Amino acid sequence: WGLHDGIEAEKRGRPAVTVITRAFTKAAELRAKALGMTDHPVVVIDHPIASKPPEAVQKMALASIEEVAQGLVSSSS
């Protein structure tokens, strides 16, 4: 549902980026197509995250900051 929410936010004029894990890339691609926004910015991180310690997840988040920021800038143009 994160992808759905991100696309709905964009449709309402709010920049949005969806962060997903690698295991959900195909599902996200299909869902974005179904929702009519194939260019919605998506940042893909390693899977899984639920079993990782908080420090590892934080490291993944920090490594993705630039890509998320770029997606927000490009989605608002």
Side-chain angles (χ1 to χ4, degrees):
W1 286 103
L3 181 81
H4 182 271
D5 292 346
I7 287 175
E8 288 302 315
E10 277 203 273
K11 285 180 177 179
R12 289 174 171 80
R14 298 217 175 241
V17 174
T18 301
V19 179
I20 61 169
T21 63
R22 201 164 309 289
F24 296 99
T25 54
K26 187 62 177 177
E29 179 184 312
L30 293 171
R31 186 73 172 152
K33 185 176 180 180
L35 294 171
M37 193 170 280
T38 57
D39 60 344
H40 175 71
V42 174
V43 174
V44 181
I45 60 174
D46 287 336
H47 183 87
I49 58 172
S51 60
K52 290 187 174 23
E55 299 80 21
V57 176
Q58 183 177 26
K59 186 175 180 181
M60 292 167 70
L62 290 171
S64 300
I65 287 175
E66 184 111 3
E67 196 174 355
V68 170
Q70 184 58 45
L72 289 170
V73 172
S74 65
S75 71
S76 65
S77 54

